[in-house]
Amino acid sequence: MSSSGSIFYGAIISPKTLNTYDAFPNCLLSVGTDGNIEWIEENVEAHALQNTLAKKGLVDVDVVELQPGEFLLPGFIDTHIISGQEYELLEWLDKVTFPMEAKFLDIEFARRSYEYAVRRIIDCGVRPAGKCNMDRESPDYYVEPSSEVSVNDTKALISYVRSLSSSSETQDTPLVQPILTPRFAISCTPELLTSLEEVASSDPSLHIQTHISENLSEIELVKQLFPDSPHYAGVYDQFGLLRSNTVLAHGVWLEDAEIELIAERGAGISHCPTSNFNLSSGVAPIGEYLDKGIKVGLGTDVSGGFSPSILNVVRNASIASKVVAMQNRDLGKSETKFVNRQFPVATLLYLATLGGAEVCDIDKQVGSFALGKSFDALLVDTRTSTGVPSLWFPEDAVQQVDQRALQGLLERFLFCGDDRNISRVYVQGRFIGGKSFVGGKSYHA
């Protein structure tokens, strides 16, 4: 990306609502030097391209022209990722997750692991959405000695992450932000949750993430540990941790009262169907949450899930919605939009992009293509040259792409594509990853 910004011309897809999205076969989009979208011309025929640029005062400028079979898409947002599929949740934590996480005490191991993980995640087209707080119900070798130590370390991490924001950054919201992470209610004493409430209340902009109602055994243990709380969500609400920038992972077994409370507080649900299937947790009734107005995004939940790709999660979210629909077939089609219904492509796209941005409370910056938003984008390549056999179709089928054909390309990519189809990844206008990113150089055809 040059210091003068960039102009893109070609097919562009962007979510609008849970039921609709824009698909422009001949769109012209300008990205400023600050990495934000300056302007969009939705329909510019090839013969009118230079005249359109001239009207913008742009003559002899470089234009990134997308090839037939390529299109731009807002970057995927992973709302829940963790750095044993034969176990259920609590046993999996004890036998797999806690021992692995304890290895990160080795700084060199942590550095190598995170460098690989972040690169892999970026190349899958994902923008990752803290330090876990856990002072009980954890192994002796992997538990914080006290609530005081936990909170002090958390404050230090928050300060460190915020110090990373360079004074030269032009965007209003830093690319890297701290997030408060009580692992889940089980691993936090009331004393720790009280201290975390004080941290959160002193900083309304501080994001919060945690787990909720993933597994029936987990829910039962929460009730034992917090007998005075009406339900799982009530624990977080009691300690002031349920608010509009709270990300709640899973929510498979929420009670009606919890659903109403979460909607009232404006918190969001990170839907992790791959992990939920993998750990035999259950199938979250996401359609019901959407009808209640709850924000929902998608999460890989690696390593509870087995893939860092949101494409995998999109497919499992589709399957999960079908399972719910089949299980409740005798109830018939309701008057609501999503309850007991299979999710269409538009809904799946929304959950993977703008829905995730809403859950993370960053939808004013990313999640769709709009004036003033950050150019966080994927350049998707569906051509046969990518070598993805499941996405093959005759090359001449993409030579003349109209809106209907572009919608077909999106569906093929979501259900048959993989990371080989993600040619470029842009964050804040900067080309940082994808299959054509080699040593920081572009090999775009």
Side-chain angles (χ1 to χ4, degrees), residues 326-342:
M326 289 188 293
Q327 289 176 335
N328 296 283
R329 185 175 294 160
D330 59 327
L331 299 179
K333 297 292 186 182
S334 69
E335 296 299 321
T336 57
K337 296 179 180 178
F338 299 104
V339 166
N340 302 334
R341 292 178 182 269
Q342 173 185 336

Side-chain angles (χ1 to χ4, degrees), residues 187-332:
S187 68
C188 299
T189 60
E191 292 76 19
L192 176 55
L193 290 173
T194 298
S195 296
L196 294 178
E197 178 182 13
E198 294 173 358
V199 174
S201 63
S202 67
D203 186 353
S205 68
L206 181 63
H207 292 72
I208 303 168
Q209 64 178 348
T210 190
H211 298 77
I212 191 169
S213 300
E214 179 179 359
N215 172 281
L216 293 174
S217 298
E218 167 204 10
I219 295 170
E220 184 58 34
L221 184 52
V222 169
K223 291 180 177 179
Q224 295 174 20
L225 294 172
F226 297 92
D228 295 331
S229 293
H231 39 58
Y232 203 150
V235 175
Y236 297 131
D237 194 53
Q238 174 186 346
F239 292 98
L241 299 174
L242 200 61
R243 59 191 195 186
S244 62
N245 54 2
T246 297
V247 181
L248 299 168
H250 304 294
V252 177
W253 302 101
L254 294 174
E255 301 174 9
D256 290 344
E258 292 179 289
I259 296 172
E260 296 295 338
L261 178 62
I262 291 169
E264 181 181 340
R265 296 291 185 262
I269 296 290
S270 174
H271 180 35
C272 307
T274 306
S275 172
N276 296 158
F277 284 135
N278 220 19
L279 298 179
S280 303
S281 298
V283 182
I286 297 301
E288 180 179 359
Y289 303 161
L290 294 175
D291 279 349
K292 294 288 187 180
I294 293 176
K295 302 176 295 187
V296 179
L298 299 181
T300 59
D301 195 24
V302 173
S303 60
F306 51 75
S307 170
S309 174
I310 287 290
L311 288 173
N312 178 279
V313 183
V314 164
R315 294 158 197 166
N316 280 304
S318 176
I319 293 170
S321 71
K322 294 172 186 176
V323 170
V324 172
M326 289 188 293
Q327 289 176 335
N328 296 283
R329 185 175 294 160
D330 59 327
L331 299 179

Side-chain angles (χ1 to χ4, degrees), residues 22 49 56 249 251 430:
D22 287 324
L49 176 59
K56 300 284 187 182
R430 294 179 57 198

Side-chain angles (χ1 to χ4, degrees), residues 14 48 150 154 157 209-210 248 255 275 347 400 439:
S14 182
S150 179
T154 296
L157 180 63
Q209 64 178 348
T210 190
L248 299 168
E255 301 174 9
S275 172
T347 303
Q400 299 294 327

